[in-house]
Amino acid sequence: MIKGKAPVNLNLFSIAFPVGAVVSILHRLTGMLLFLVIPIAIYLLQYSLGSEEKFNQIQQLFSGWQIKFAALMLLWALLHHFFAGIRFLLLDLDIGLSRIQARNSAAAVLIASVMCLFLALWLI
Amino acid sequence: MMLATGLKAWVWQRLSAVYLAIFVVWFSVHLWMSPPADFQHWRQWMAQPQVASAFALFFISLMIHAWVGIRDIVMDYIHPLIWRALVLATVIFSLLGAGAWSFLVLAGIEY
């Protein structure tokens, strides 16, 4: 057996991922994250509809920077999942299948989700 | 409704995705254009039959969408059959519970 001849590359971080792969794995991760926050979302909806006091408490809650930061991260996850999802639906319809178009649309997904996050920050 | 077979699950994932996307845009635009001024406005808006129905359909779509998505992830990464079955059972009962809970919340809104 010849030692040290076969290329071994077990460090995933040394491989440059194409932008489509980054969008795809982020779609999974954000989907998982959004799944985990479903109970929190239902609880917040229930709480906000409970009474005047509870409604005001939720408005107060979102004035703290930690909660605001967490909410913004979740908003980014939702935006990414939304835009990447629309891209996948278009790919299902055979739209944008060429390599160059697919790369451009993947980059557009990454940019659009961050831009919409800043837009939301500016609107609020 | 067989959500466990490949092609049908794929179709359900896409159908629910389309409704979720429309709902999210509609709700975000509503919150931006006319944010609820206070508790009374918020509750009255939510209690409208069209709004409550849109939310009910949202929660149904959400549970279907989450089920297919999580099922795909579990089947990709969890291979021992017993673990896969246990995790999938936990997920489906959690989603059914969350769906029932969301319907109780919607049904409990009073004018």
Side-chain angles (χ1 to χ4, degrees), chain B residues 48-77:
Chain B
Q48 287 171 281
Q50 333 65 299
V51 174
S53 309
F55 268 83
L57 194 53
F58 163 73
F59 282 118
I60 293 172
S61 307
L62 182 64
M63 299 316 153
I64 292 173
H65 195 76
W67 165 245
V68 180
I70 299 297
R71 169 186 160 276
D72 286 348
I73 293 178
V74 168
M75 292 199 303
D76 277 354
Y77 301 119

Side-chain angles (χ1 to χ4, degrees), chain A residues 46-113:
Chain A
Q46 183 178 41
Y47 205 81
S48 75
L49 289 162
S51 70
E52 180 123 39
E53 246 170 71
K54 289 176 172 173
F55 179 84
N56 294 336
Q57 272 174 15
I58 287 182
Q59 286 194 322
Q60 288 266 309
L61 185 72
F62 281 93
S63 60
W65 71 267
Q66 295 100 326
I67 300 284
K68 221 173 233 170
F69 182 76
L72 281 171
M73 291 309 291
L74 283 175
L75 181 60
W76 172 80
L78 179 64
L79 285 166
H80 180 88
H81 202 80
F82 175 85
F83 286 121
I86 287 174
R87 176 174 175 269
F88 284 132
L89 286 175
L90 292 174
L91 290 174
D92 284 344
L93 298 171
D94 289 348
I95 298 168
L97 281 182
S98 80
R99 185 193 299 218
I100 186 82
Q101 282 176 322
R103 280 197 180 161
N104 285 340
S105 64
V109 164
L110 293 178
I111 295 166
S113 34

Side-chain angles (χ1 to χ4, degrees), chain B:
Chain B
M1 189 162 70
M2 281 290 290
L3 289 174
T5 60
L7 182 62
K8 279 179 184 166
W10 184 89
V11 170
W12 277 107
Q13 185 177 41
R14 266 72 182 170
L15 283 177
S16 55
V18 170
Y19 182 74
L20 291 174
I22 295 168
F23 177 91
V24 163
V25 170
W26 166 74
F27 187 49
S28 307
V29 169
H30 171 80
L31 283 184
W32 172 53
M33 298 290 278
S34 49
D38 55 30
F39 173 67
Q40 284 307 327
H41 283 93
W42 171 235
R43 194 165 65 173
Q44 269 162 23
W45 184 73
M46 281 297 299
Q48 287 171 281
Q50 333 65 299
V51 174
S53 309
F55 268 83
L57 194 53
F58 163 73
F59 282 118
I60 293 172
S61 307
L62 182 64
M63 299 316 153
I64 292 173
H65 195 76
W67 165 245
V68 180
I70 299 297
R71 169 186 160 276
D72 286 348
I73 293 178
V74 168
M75 292 199 303
D76 277 354
Y77 301 119
I78 302 179
H79 297 148
L81 211 60
I82 180 75
W83 282 111
R84 189 185 280 190
L86 273 173
V87 173
L88 284 180
T90 310
V91 169
I92 200 151
F93 282 116
S94 311
L95 286 174
L96 287 172
W101 180 22
S102 69
F103 269 65
L104 286 177
V105 171
L106 292 177
I109 309 169
E110 302 147 34
Y111 262 112

